[in-house]
Amino acid sequence: MAIFKGAGVAIVTPFHEDGSVNYEAFARLVEEQIAGGTDAIIVCGTTGEASTLTHEEHLDLIKFCVETVAGRVPVIAGTGSNCTKTAVYLSTEAEKYGADALLLVTPYYNKATQKGLYEHFKTVADAVELPIILYNVPGRTGCNIQPQTAVKLCTEVSNIVAIKEASGNISQVAKLMSLAEGRIDLYSGNDDQIVPLLALGGKGVISVLSNVAPRQTHDICQKFFDGDLEGSMKEQLRAIDLCDALFCEVNPIPVKTALNLMGKDVGPLHMPLCEMEPQNVEKLRRAMQDYGIL
């Protein structure tokens, strides 16, 4: 059984002006997401700026998220690291706090071999009982999980059950699903490729777009599952310009800017991320207006 089916939000982490976590704003975002039909909350991922949180902040935020969601939808905790020992530590703590599943990004910077990736993910998985979603985003990590490696992991490690695919390489995803023969659950990691990956057997999306358009992102998936392929396609294509604007600078700079434009008070970014260039803010504003969320 899939961890979730539909649209999971890769939720942002709101900060106060001094850089501390704004838990009050985070709780509001969670409530708005659940009310908007979001099917899962993914906390402390790339969009949540996990790489600039202290370990204490990281774990406190996971615990707070679990308590706030209170079982209404699955909470998936981002606990990946380029240090295997750190990933084990974060993962075992998240399990204690009641997370429903873990999201493990490929180790960044190290450029591990496929054998190294296998050993890394297996070591983390063996330390917990929670189901695990692999996260393949080579554009950010410099490391690509080859389809054969992902299938080997899902076949040989019982609690590695899914993959978030953000390579952008549809051919690679098709090869993965062909080799997997139903042994792996697929989630799109790119908002502009939700429908294509659903068509390859995907269970849904782990979404940046959902931060600003939860109901619409949910509907892209739900219409597809309901057999309304044309309706799903139209929602996907309607969102393309907004998706482009949300990635015109590195994520999560644009999406936090968008939420602030919407009055959500998510605050600043942690360095080395910085404010958007003015011309890109205007591009984002126009896209949001055209989409009808501003």
Side-chain angles (χ1 to χ4, degrees), residues 113-187:
T113 64
Q114 295 300 302
K115 179 181 178 182
L117 291 178
Y118 178 89
E119 295 297 336
H120 169 82
F121 287 123
K122 184 177 187 303
T123 298
V124 180
D126 286 347
V128 296
E129 296 182 2
L130 291 178
I132 287 169
I133 304 173
L134 306 176
Y135 179 16
N136 191 36
V137 58
R140 294 192 79 119
T141 64
C143 192
N144 182 39
I145 307 176
Q146 295 292 340
Q148 295 84 351
T149 304
V151 172
K152 180 178 171 68
L153 281 162
C154 287
T155 302
E156 297 181 2
V157 185
S158 61
N159 57 330
I160 296 180
V161 299
I163 188 166
K164 175 186 175 183
E165 245 297 342
S167 67
N169 186 339
I170 297 295
S171 296
Q172 175 172 296
V173 177
K175 179 68 172 178
L176 167 65
M177 296 304 281
S178 173
L179 292 173
E181 297 180 332
R183 287 172 287 178
I184 190 167
D185 289 336
L186 171 68
Y187 296 98

Side-chain angles (χ1 to χ4, degrees), residues 211-288:
N211 280 281
V212 297
R215 178 61 63 184
Q216 297 92 325
T217 311
H218 167 85
D219 286 350
I220 291 173
C221 298
Q222 194 59 53
K223 287 177 184 292
F224 187 95
F225 298 142
D226 290 343
D228 182 7
L229 304 187
E230 184 175 358
S232 177
M233 176 194 69
K234 285 181 177 178
E235 283 292 336
Q236 171 79 90
L237 295 179
R238 190 171 78 85
I240 290 297
D241 287 347
L242 179 56
C243 292
D244 288 345
L246 287 171
F247 288 89
C248 67
E249 291 189 20
V250 69
N251 179 51
I253 294 174
V255 72
K256 287 195 86 170
T257 303
L259 286 166
N260 282 326
L261 288 172
M262 295 170 75
K264 303 297 185 182
D265 189 28
V266 298
L269 298 133
H270 274 182
M271 289 178 67
L273 300 182
C274 62
E275 294 179 3
M276 282 185 85
E277 296 293 341
Q279 67 272 21
N280 288 332
V281 174
E282 288 310 307
K283 175 181 178 179
L284 176 62
R285 190 193 305 274
R286 289 194 301 271
M288 294 172 68

Side-chain angles (χ1 to χ4, degrees), residues 56-126:
E56 183 180 31
E57 288 172 328
H58 193 138
L59 293 172
D60 283 350
L61 191 56
I62 291 171
K63 186 173 186 288
F64 183 82
C65 185
V66 170
E67 292 172 349
T68 302
V69 172
R72 289 174 289 174
V73 296
V75 172
I76 300 162
T79 55
S81 173
N82 65 334
C83 171
T84 304
K85 287 184 178 180
T86 299
V88 168
Y89 167 66
L90 295 173
S91 298
T92 54
E93 291 299 300
E95 184 172 43
K96 292 175 188 176
Y97 296 154
D100 296 289
L102 305 175
L103 180 70
L104 297 181
V105 69
T106 48
Y108 38 89
Y109 187 77
N110 309 77
K111 289 194 172 182
T113 64
Q114 295 300 302
K115 179 181 178 182
L117 291 178
Y118 178 89
E119 295 297 336
H120 169 82
F121 287 123
K122 184 177 187 303
T123 298
V124 180
D126 286 347

